[in-house]
Each structure stands twice: as C-alpha cells, then as structure tokens.
Amino acid sequence: AQRVTQPEKLLSVFKGAPVELKCNYSYSGSPELFWYVQYSRQRLQLLLRHISRESIKGFTADLNKGETSFHLKKPFAQEEDSAMYYCALREDSGYALNFGKGTSLLVTP
Amino acid sequence: EPEVTQTPSHQVTQMGQEVILRCVPISNHLYFYWYRQILGQKVEFLVSFYNNEISEKSEIFDDQFSVERPDGSNFTLKIRSTKLEDSAMYFCASSSGTSNEQFFGPGTRLTVL
C-alpha cells in the first residue's frame, strides 16, 4: 500500500512566486513526516521534519492529521530552490523512511 | 562536516554475477540503512542494521541480498546472482539514533547487463 503520495511530478513557478509542494500520507498510527531535497548532482539531504516545527531556507511544512497532509510551502521561491523534493514518512517505532515519488521543482527567472 | 561515502560510484555487472556495494557511514553513527531507487521510481527502503544485526527489512530484501559490517567502518550490501531488474541507484544512510536524521551517501549506480 502506498503510504506517501506526491501528486505533482513537476512543478514550475516563477521566481518570487509562492510555492506549495503537496504531500499526503496514509498511516493510522503516529507517523513522523520529513521533507528531503536533492539538488542537482548532490545527495539526498533532510530539509525539515514535522517535529522540529522550524523554517529552513524559508520553507515550512505543517502536519495536518485531519487531512493527512504535510505540504511544503515557501512564500517567495528562489532559483536556487530548483531541486527534487521528496516527502517521507517514518512509522512510529520503525526504522524505514517511506518515500513519495518526488516532485521536481523548477523556479524560472 | 562528516559525510557518508559509497564506492564505487558506478558498478556494471553481468546478469548472474555477485556484487558488493560498499559504504562508510559517519563514524559515530550506530544505525545503518540501504535504500534503492530504480530509474523513474521512488526511493525504496531495503534494510536497516543495528548492533550487528538486521533491525528491519522490506519485502524487497529477500535471500538474494545480505548486509554486513565487516569491520568498524564499512557497511556492505551484497547482491547475489544479479538480475536485470536489480539495476538501480543504491543509497546507504546512517543515523545516530532511530529518531535522528538519516544522512545519505551519494549512491552507487548499479547496471546489470
């Protein structure tokens, strides 16, 4: 069963525009949600996690248990935000990260 | 800043051969993981390893696969009798705790011909 859904394969926005990358999950327990980012020719790296409740590089994400969503948002996109973004879920007391298929964000000038 | 390293960056092998993918986790980390990403598909969990034993594995991780920590620094993934469908990018990751950030290596691209 697919636990993490990222409906957009590609998202293209203009520099300065708001951006929202969608992530929905299916899990009945208490998951931990993450956003990982992979810039061109770089490794996967953690962008943020829901328990931290912090903003990284201007990005925020709020866990909405009612809608089972963890959308990633930034009010003003920058060209350097262009990358592949992966939403991931870790089940309570689990080790594995369950990834979505990823969304490629392209920010154009 | 310490990083997870993986060798080789690209491995080409013939179907039916055995391959060993190598990883050096971050030195003070205790939890180790392997993931794979088939081209065009999502990153999939294979196995986690702690205290010299497998702590969790996915249904992908069948008898064809094995992991080992042969010494204090390396963490290896062995794939026996490779198949065409094993072609993928294989990522190693490590963390200092189960709820801590998993740090990923750059990956090894395995091509099975």
Side-chain angles (χ1 to χ4, degrees), chain A residues 2-4 9 32 34 36 38 43-46 49 51 86 90-91 93-102, chain B residues 3-5 31 33 35 37 40-45 48 50 55-56 91 98-106:
Chain A
Q2 185 170 358
R3 296 205 178 274
V4 179
K9 198 170 181 178
E32 189 169 3
F34 305 82
Y36 274 79
Q38 188 171 28
R43 63 189 65 201
L44 270 168
Q45 55 187 279
L46 180 66
R49 56 200 299 182
I51 60 171
Y86 295 95
R90 192 174 66 86
E91 299 175 5
S93 72
Y95 297 86
L97 289 174
N98 295 286
F99 285 89
K101 291 187 176 181
Chain B
E3 289 184 329
V4 176
T5 60
Y31 296 82
Y33 314 84
Y35 293 82
Q37 185 176 30
Q41 298 187 26
K42 65 177 184 176
V43 177
E44 300 173 291
F45 169 76
S48 62
Y50 170 71
S55 46
E56 185 178 352
F91 295 104
T98 55
S99 59
N100 296 85
E101 177 181 352
Q102 291 185 22
F103 290 83
F104 281 77

Side-chain angles (χ1 to χ4, degrees), chain B residues 39-96:
Chain B
L39 188 64
Q41 298 187 26
K42 65 177 184 176
V43 177
E44 300 173 291
F45 169 76
L46 293 177
V47 66
S48 62
F49 191 84
Y50 170 71
N51 200 26
N52 274 323
E53 59 183 30
I54 291 172
S55 46
E56 185 178 352
K57 63 181 181 178
S58 71
E59 54 192 32
I60 302 170
F61 194 88
D62 58 20
D63 293 342
Q64 187 194 3
F65 295 89
S66 61
V67 290
E68 191 180 25
R69 188 151 163 83
D71 53 44
S73 59
N74 289 282
F75 178 52
T76 61
L77 174 69
K78 183 188 289 186
I79 309 174
R80 286 178 283 275
S81 190
T82 49
K83 300 175 283 202
L84 295 176
E85 53 265 39
D86 294 327
S87 295
M89 184 73 97
Y90 288 80
F91 295 104
C92 174
S94 70
S95 67
S96 54

Side-chain angles (χ1 to χ4, degrees), chain A residues 14-66:
Chain A
F14 288 109
K15 177 183 171 181
V19 63
E20 180 179 71
L21 291 90
K22 292 186 167 48
C23 173
N24 288 89
Y25 67 90
S26 59
Y27 181 62
S28 57
S30 297
E32 189 169 3
L33 276 296
F34 305 82
W35 277 100
Y36 274 79
V37 62
Q38 188 171 28
Y39 300 102
S40 180
R41 297 192 186 87
Q42 294 188 28
R43 63 189 65 201
L44 270 168
Q45 55 187 279
L46 180 66
L47 181 62
L48 51 79
R49 56 200 299 182
H50 89 269
I51 60 171
S52 301
R53 302 183 66 82
E54 58 186 348
S55 173
I56 304 292
K57 298 184 180 183
F59 285 97
T60 59
D62 291 316
L63 180 61
N64 185 323
K65 291 188 178 180

